[in-house]
Amino acid sequence: MHLWVYNIFMMKKLITIIFCCVFTAGLFAEKHITEEDVRNQAYSEIKDASADLESMMTAFVNGFSKAVAPNAVQHNVWADAYIGKVFPSFPPHLGAGVSFMTSTMKIDGMNEIIDDAEMGAMGEFFKKMGFPLPSATGNLRVGGIFLPFDLGVSFMKYKNDDLFSTGMAFDYMTVGVDIRYAIMEQTLTRPDISVGFGWTKVAGNLSKGFSITDSSGVKIDGLVATGFDTNVYCFSGQISKSLLGNVLTPYAGTRLAFQQGTYGWNTDLEGKYTVEKVSAQIDYNNEYDNNINFGQKPVFQLYGGIGFRGLIFDTNLGICFDFVSKSFGSNFSFRLVL
């Protein structure tokens, strides 16, 4: 399930909060009240009604924090464990293209979300496997100079103030670099084997603002947002062997990754309540941060796949499994190469 689907469901919960506050204002209308009465009771109702929403958002943030790193380490996968030198070499070895990745994300209490969304057979699949977390990057890889290494760069930035016409604002950015060094170069009988290290930064936020006015004297403006900012550090090893004149390249490898960052949410509700000409301004704010220290949530993946090489293009299709989060992933890339 995409992030925006999850947040649409949370907005339904937020509307429930608003109606709770409207109902409270109606009860007050039957007796003499003071501004302090309105403020205290309305604040109490908002806090109590928000508890369920905030619990769901916390579960989402914690589940999401386990899925980002397994996804980020797939941002620039190549079938060849080492692509060759850019100099001295003719032609020079380099390529650029796009990659699409997904990994599964498990969230505590997600069965309730799926049932309320009425997702049918797809929902049952998500219950067993977890929600898919998709991503995409543009990437480049250039062979080394004199020494047998290659350098990779990946990047993607996306911003939308009305995501899928839901009124939600989405802002996402990722950038990464990696280096791989060949400890064995392919010959007729030997494969390519490389070891590598990479860094990827992933950050983004998803927010929904709203404004509701009710005839009973309640006016609420609010914002609900989730956000994240993390750095992923990945150590890798890969083996590959080109076959059939370099047309097919099966590959396999392992990754050990660590992240350091923050995942969180915040709610900001401002309400003006007017009952029997008594008005009170209510401000309700709350937030949650899940700070992940280096080494706290490691990733240990086994991965593999196959690459297809044409005259000037290269594609690869791969899968992976993370033994720590028990999550699956997949990736597909298409590139122009020399």
Side-chain angles (χ1 to χ4, degrees):
M1 179 184 289
H2 299 293
L3 304 182
W4 62 274
V5 176
Y6 186 93
N7 277 265
I8 288 174
F9 177 79
M10 292 196 295
M11 287 306 300
K12 293 180 181 178
K13 295 289 185 180
L14 192 58
I15 292 172
T16 301
I17 294 173
I18 295 170
F19 284 130
C20 286
C21 297
V22 172
F23 178 68
T24 299
L27 292 179
F28 274 132
E30 298 180 1
K31 65 177 184 178
H32 177 71
I33 60 170
T34 66
E35 181 179 337
E36 192 67 18
D37 290 332
V38 175
R39 180 178 293 108
N40 290 342
Q41 186 63 29
Y43 185 87
S44 177
E45 290 286 348
I46 290 176
K47 184 176 180 180
D48 291 343
S50 297
D52 187 38
L53 168 71
E54 293 172 353
S55 177
M56 291 172 54
M57 293 173 67
T58 298
F60 169 76
V61 166
N62 291 340
F64 186 66
S65 70
K66 300 175 184 178
V68 168
N71 187 284
V73 295
Q74 302 183 79
H75 282 185
N76 196 0
V77 178
W78 287 63
D80 292 301
Y82 164 61
I83 67 169
K85 299 183 183 70
V86 71
F87 181 83
S89 175
F90 184 83
H93 295 283
L94 71 159
V98 294
S99 297
F100 305 92
M101 296 70 61
T102 187
S103 56
T104 55
M105 173 176 61
K106 295 183 179 180
I107 302 173
D108 293 337
M110 68 178 181
N111 288 1
E112 177 189 352
I113 301 168
I114 293 172
D115 292 340
D116 281 11
E118 299 179 354
M119 300 181 66
M122 183 178 295
E124 294 303 314
F125 176 81
F126 290 158
K127 287 181 181 180
K128 295 179 180 179
M129 304 300 296
F131 296 119
L133 176 64
S135 63
T137 65
N139 49 73
L140 166 73
R141 188 169 295 279
V142 179
I145 299 175
F146 295 112
L147 297 177
F149 69 93
D150 57 41
L151 292 170
V153 178
S154 61
F155 176 79
M156 178 59 69
K157 183 172 177 60
Y158 179 77
K159 184 175 182 179
N160 192 321
D161 292 330
D162 188 16
L163 188 64
F164 299 108
S165 302
T166 61
M168 285 188 292
F170 180 58
D171 193 355
Y172 171 83
M173 184 277 295
T174 181
V175 60
V177 295
D178 73 90
I179 182 171
R180 304 185 303 177
Y181 190 88
I183 59 176
M184 179 182 292
E185 295 186 56
Q186 177 171 294
T187 64
L188 184 62
T189 58
R190 297 190 307 181
D192 277 326
I193 300 178
S194 67
V195 293
F197 173 76
W199 162 82
T200 303
K201 181 179 180 63
V202 189
N205 61 76
L206 185 66
S207 62
K208 172 72 174 180
F210 62 92
S211 180
I212 295 179
T213 302
D214 186 83
S215 59
S216 65
V218 177
K219 184 178 186 305
I220 292 181
D221 296 312
L223 178 72
V224 176
T226 59
F228 58 99
D229 189 337
T230 193
N231 294 280
V232 180
Y233 307 91
C234 180
F235 301 88
S236 64
Q238 182 174 330
I239 182 172
S240 67
K241 185 71 169 74
S242 295
L243 306 172
L244 303 178
N246 295 333
V247 174
L248 296 179
T249 304
Y251 66 94
T254 183
R255 304 183 184 105
L256 177 63
F258 304 92
Q259 67 168 317
Q260 185 171 17
T262 299
Y263 299 78
W265 56 258
N266 69 278
T267 58
D268 185 1
L269 306 179
E270 296 182 358
K272 182 179 181 182
Y273 298 78
T274 302
V275 180
E276 294 183 351
K277 298 183 179 180
V278 178
S279 297
Q281 183 70 30
I282 306 298
D283 294 324
Y284 176 81
N285 303 282
N286 202 2
E287 62 181 15
Y288 168 81
D289 285 329
N290 181 359
N291 297 309
I292 299 177
N293 297 320
F294 188 86
Q296 186 177 346
K297 293 183 178 180
V299 173
F300 176 58
Q301 284 186 350
L302 292 182
Y303 67 96
I306 190 165
F308 303 88
R309 180 70 181 262
L311 184 62
I312 59 170
F313 72 90
D314 176 278
T315 67
N316 70 271
L317 181 65
I319 58 173
C320 59
F321 178 76
D322 177 28
F323 289 88
V324 179
S325 64
K326 303 295 190 296
S327 64
F328 291 89
S330 61
N331 63 85
F332 172 78
S333 300
F334 178 87
R335 303 179 180 95
L336 297 178
V337 296
L338 291 179

